[in-house]
Amino acid sequence: MRKRNILFHALIVFVVCCMSMGCDSGSSSSSSGGSSGGCDTSSSSSGSSSSSSSSSSSSSGSGSITGGTCTSTGNVVITDTIRVTSGTYDGQCKTYIPSGMGDGGQGEDQKPVFRVENGATLKNVIIGTPGVDGIHLYNGATLDNVTFKDVGEDAVTVKSSGTYTVRNIEGYASEDKFFQINAASTLNVTNCIIHDAGKALRQNGDTTFKIAVTFDRCDIADMNEGIFRSDSSSSTARITNSRLHNAGDICIGNWASCTSSGITYY
């Protein structure tokens, strides 16, 4: 009974305090660090902070498709491939323009703009025109926030076995394929925009090694042929939560498994 009386009196004191000081716990918590007017609203403020954090997390996981988000901060002219062998190379949203490295057509002797290998990361890059042979990947690598203004021979080529993560990527005007896979590997792609290409992905023709590919939250449009192509009966591909427009067949060729879910057409 004594505890109940103490709690009752404490409640009355709190109500009187708020009425006399004009303090509303809801409006006080929305104030960014402002005075509480003499009332202790730390509990309410903590609740507000938690709600804000939850809202931010929900927004980041909303499933929007943005592709690359760089706005060019300037041009960098290069005459040879930039190798990223460890750590992270941050291009700071510069546009990398190859010179003397190829014409951006379908010739097989063009150099890549970047070679990323051994688990390294390349991020915040715009590949300018000509796109030459894009980016080559070896022994596992990550690409994050990369835009291809005008794809050359290919945008991204997996050259050796490993696990590859590609996120926040976009590219346009790929005469043949966007991703070329030349070795047994796992490729996970999230948040991509691929428009105007022959195919989104091609396993090297007439090969039987196994690749495992996933695309999630991609916008793929205006494919001349389709999305995934392989001749290997051991390879798998899956596309989920994506938007397609005039994208052709999702699965072309011989796959152990090639599936889709959460697809919308526009």
Side-chain angles (χ1 to χ4, degrees), residues 26-103:
S27 63
S28 174
S29 66
S30 67
S31 168
S32 64
S35 169
S36 64
C39 294
D40 181 2
T41 59
S42 59
S43 174
S44 175
S45 176
S46 172
S48 173
S49 174
S50 173
S51 173
S52 173
S53 173
S54 173
S55 173
S56 174
S57 174
S58 173
S59 175
S60 67
S62 63
S64 59
I65 300 172
T66 61
T69 58
C70 273
T71 298
S72 183
T73 58
N75 294 337
V76 178
V77 177
I78 63 171
T79 58
D80 204 357
T81 302
I82 299 172
R83 292 188 64 175
V84 184
T85 59
S86 64
T88 298
Y89 184 103
D90 187 345
Q92 300 179 341
C93 290
K94 301 286 188 184
T95 299
Y96 289 78
I97 301 176
S99 176
M101 299 169 63
D103 62 5

Side-chain angles (χ1 to χ4, degrees), residues 135-179:
I135 299 172
H136 288 186
L137 305 179
Y138 291 81
N139 307 322
T142 296
L143 301 181
D144 186 4
N145 196 22
V146 178
T147 296
F148 297 83
K149 305 296 285 185
D150 186 354
V151 175
E153 184 185 352
D154 301 312
V156 178
T157 303
V158 170
K159 301 287 283 186
S160 69
S161 296
T163 297
Y164 299 90
T165 299
V166 177
R167 55 181 177 261
N168 312 319
I169 190 169
E170 69 179 86
Y172 305 89
S174 176
E175 186 177 336
D176 190 6
K177 61 274 185 200
F178 191 88
F179 288 98

Side-chain angles (χ1 to χ4, degrees), residues 92-235:
Q92 300 179 341
C93 290
K94 301 286 188 184
T95 299
Y96 289 78
I97 301 176
S99 176
M101 299 169 63
D103 62 5
Q106 288 300 298
E108 295 287 339
D109 59 347
Q110 299 179 83
K111 293 182 178 181
V113 181
F114 287 93
R115 171 175 168 153
V116 189
E117 54 194 290
N118 302 329
T121 296
L122 172 67
K123 69 177 185 178
N124 302 329
V125 163
I126 300 171
I127 306 296
T129 304
V132 292
D133 203 19
I135 299 172
H136 288 186
L137 305 179
Y138 291 81
N139 307 322
T142 296
L143 301 181
D144 186 4
N145 196 22
V146 178
T147 296
F148 297 83
K149 305 296 285 185
D150 186 354
V151 175
E153 184 185 352
D154 301 312
V156 178
T157 303
V158 170
K159 301 287 283 186
S160 69
S161 296
T163 297
Y164 299 90
T165 299
V166 177
R167 55 181 177 261
N168 312 319
I169 190 169
E170 69 179 86
Y172 305 89
S174 176
E175 186 177 336
D176 190 6
K177 61 274 185 200
F178 191 88
F179 288 98
Q180 169 76 19
I181 314 299
N182 290 345
S185 53
T186 297
L187 172 67
N188 298 313
V189 180
T190 57
N191 188 24
C192 76
I193 296 175
I194 302 173
H195 288 183
D196 187 18
K199 297 169 283 291
L201 179 141
R202 173 66 156 126
Q203 178 171 341
N204 198 20
D206 299 321
T207 58
T208 58
F209 56 77
K210 180 180 179 179
I211 67 171
V213 177
T214 63
F215 279 23
D216 183 61
R217 291 191 298 119
C218 289
D219 185 316
I220 300 176
D222 299 322
M223 300 289 105
N224 291 334
E225 188 175 356
I227 298 178
F228 301 129
R229 182 172 186 124
S230 173
D231 300 319
S232 173
S233 60
S234 60
S235 292

Side-chain angles (χ1 to χ4, degrees), residues 233-264:
S233 60
S234 60
S235 292
T236 64
R238 180 166 175 77
I239 182 170
T240 55
N241 308 315
S242 295
R243 290 164 37 87
L244 307 180
H245 172 75
N246 190 30
D249 295 330
I250 292 177
C251 307
I252 306 164
N254 193 17
W255 294 88
S257 172
C258 184
T259 60
S260 63
S261 67
I263 304 299
T264 59

